[in-house]
Amino acid sequence: MATQAKLSEYGISVGTLPSGPLGKISDVPGVTVGHCTVDTQTQKTGVTVVMPCADDMFAQKLPAAACVLNGFGKTAGLVQIGELGTLETPIALTNTLNVGLVYDAMVEYMVGRCAQSGTALRSVNPVVAECNDGGLNDIARRAVRQEHVFAAIENARADFEEGDVGAGKGMVCHGLKGGIGSASRIVELDGARYTLGVLALANHGRLEDLCIGGKSVGAKIAAHLESAPEQQQDKGSCIVVMATDLPLCARQLERVVKRASVGLARLGSYIGHGSGEVFLGFSTTNRVPHESARAVLPCTVLHEGRIDAVFRAMGEATEEAVLRAMLCADTVTGFDGSTKYTIRNFVSQIY
C-alpha cells in the first residue's frame, strides 16, 4: 500500500497558487483515476487509467493536445490528437512493452461502452502512454492484461492513491523510487475559479541533479545511501497528463502542456537522450459532438493575454506531482534483487 505523504509534512511548498480540495487531477470536476497493480516477486508493474468524464466521451469528445518534448517513447494515439485536437477515450499509462496489450484492452472497453450508449463505433483512437520499468520489473513477461485494464477503470475514483501503484509500481525517479503523483492549482479569471490538475508518471532524472525548493539535494542523498550509486544517465521517461475546466482550444492546450517542462526542470531534470517526455492535456469544456446537425459549433475560449496564470499553474502542478510521486512511493526491491529507496528516508535529513 502506497503511503499518501504530503509535501507540507516535510516543510515543502511549491509555488504560490492555491490547490484544490484534494490536491489532485481529480479536483477537475468529472475526472477520476484508477489503478491496477501487478506486484509479485518478478513483476513490479501495472496500469493507471485517467477517466476524463463520467459520460460517453466518444459521443462528446474533449478538446485535447499533446507535446512531445523528447520522443524516446512508444505512446499510442498522439497522431490523431495532433490532427483533430480531440480526445475520445480514457488515457491509459503502463510500461513500455505493454502498450500494445493495453491498447487492445482499451479498444474492447470502448466497443462495450459505445454499445451500452447506442453509439455506432467504426473507429476509435485509444491513448496509451508508457515508461520503462525494466529496472525493477521483469518487463519481458508483459504482465499487464485486459483484466487489469478493466479493473483499473472499475476502480477509478476521485481520491485515488499515489506512489508505487498502478503504472508507477516499478518506476524510478532521480535514482530513487518514483511512480504516480498528482497535484492541482486554482486560477481565478473574471471572478470565476477554474481548476488545472496534473497526473505524472515519474520515471526520469539523475540523483545527482535532484533539486527540491531550489536546493540541490541529490548529492546529499547519495551520501546517505549505503552504497553510492554509479553516475547515472538521465533516462526512463516522464508522462504528464493535464486536465482542466478552463475553456482552452487545442492550440492553447498544447501551449499549456509544454510548461510541464518547467516543473521537471525545477526539480533538476535535463531531459536526457534516453528519457521520453510526453505531455498530454484536455479540457472538459467545449465538448465536441461526434455527430452534429449544426455545421458551426459555438465555443468560448480564453483570451491569449490572460494565459500566463495558466502557464504558472501547469509548471507548479507538475513540479508538485513529481515530488508527490516520490514522497508517496515506498521502497521497492525488484526482480533481480536491486532496491530503489523512498525519498522519505532522506528528505527530513537533507531538506
Side-chain angles (χ1 to χ4, degrees):
M1 182 69 70
T3 301
Q4 300 307 287
K6 297 180 180 179
L7 269 63
S8 59
E9 297 173 6
Y10 298 90
I12 300 171
S13 62
V14 174
T16 58
L17 293 172
S19 63
L22 291 174
K24 299 179 180 182
I25 191 173
S26 48
D27 285 328
V28 179
V31 177
T32 56
V33 174
H35 306 293
C36 185
T37 306
V38 181
D39 186 4
T40 68
Q41 185 174 355
T42 58
Q43 306 299 153
K44 306 293 179 182
T45 192
V47 60
T48 295
V49 178
V50 179
M51 305 293 289
C53 57
D55 59 355
D56 186 347
M57 62 181 298
F58 185 83
Q60 294 288 330
K61 307 178 195 304
L62 293 88
C67 169
V68 179
L69 191 62
N70 192 60
F72 205 140
K74 288 77 184 171
T75 304
L78 298 192
V79 171
Q80 184 168 310
I81 288 179
E83 184 70 23
L84 303 183
T86 56
L87 177 69
E88 60 188 25
T89 76
I91 298 170
L93 309 178
T94 190
N95 72 53
T96 303
L97 297 189
N98 262 113
V99 170
L101 292 168
V102 172
Y103 182 98
D104 185 68
M106 291 299 298
V107 171
E108 286 296 314
Y109 168 75
M110 290 303 298
V111 167
R113 182 69 177 83
C114 288
Q116 289 177 358
S117 61
T119 303
L121 182 68
R122 299 292 181 269
S123 175
V124 69
N125 185 53
V127 178
V128 185
E130 56 79 28
C131 293
N132 195 311
D133 58 14
L136 294 174
N137 172 51
D138 189 357
I139 193 171
R141 294 196 180 193
R142 306 177 74 197
V144 180
R145 300 290 174 171
Q146 178 175 298
E147 59 265 28
H148 300 118
V149 178
F150 283 14
I153 293 171
E154 182 67 25
N155 293 334
R157 57 187 61 124
D159 196 7
F160 56 91
E161 287 186 278
E162 298 169 87
D164 56 304
V165 292
K169 182 63 190 180
M171 302 302 170
V172 179
C173 188
H174 284 282
L176 302 169
K177 189 64 192 75
I180 294 285
S182 193
S184 68
R185 291 294 184 271
I186 304 297
V187 177
E188 293 195 17
L189 297 166
D190 296 334
R193 289 166 60 88
Y194 297 94
T195 303
L196 182 148
V198 160
L199 182 136
L201 179 60
N203 189 56
H204 64 284
R206 303 192 317 157
L207 179 57
E208 295 87 347
D209 297 329
L210 178 62
C211 296
I212 300 177
K215 299 179 181 179
S216 179
V217 300
K220 295 179 181 178
I221 292 176
H224 283 85
L225 291 172
E226 293 180 4
S227 58
E230 297 179 1
Q231 189 80 356
Q232 299 170 303
Q233 290 181 299
D234 189 346
K235 61 180 182 179
S237 303
C238 184
I239 306 298
V240 178
V241 179
M242 186 275 287
T244 187
D245 55 5
L246 280 155
L248 302 177
C249 67
R251 180 186 57 78
Q252 291 176 324
L253 285 165
E254 182 179 4
R255 295 191 71 201
V256 172
V257 297
K258 285 179 180 177
R259 269 63 185 186
S261 59
V262 175
L264 300 186
R266 285 179 57 83
L267 291 167
S269 174
Y270 285 83
I271 321 296
H273 158 71
S275 188
E277 271 61 41
V278 179
F279 312 142
L280 307 163
F282 61 87
S283 171
T284 59
T285 305
N286 294 325
R287 303 281 292 273
V288 181
H290 181 63
E291 296 181 350
S292 175
R294 300 183 60 172
V296 178
L297 301 174
C299 73
T300 56
V301 68
L302 179 69
H303 188 283
E304 215 78 17
R306 303 292 294 278
I307 204 168
D308 276 357
V310 189
F311 289 166
R312 179 177 291 273
M314 185 68 196
E316 288 187 9
T318 301
E319 181 181 359
E320 181 175 328
V322 172
L323 276 173
R324 284 175 59 152
M326 299 176 73
L327 282 169
C328 292
D330 293 326
T331 295
V332 172
T333 297
F335 74 105
D336 62 354
S338 62
T339 298
K340 295 300 178 182
Y341 296 95
T342 172
I343 196 174
R344 297 195 309 275
N345 292 351
F346 313 103
V347 69
S348 61
Q349 303 174 48
I350 52 84
Y351 182 74

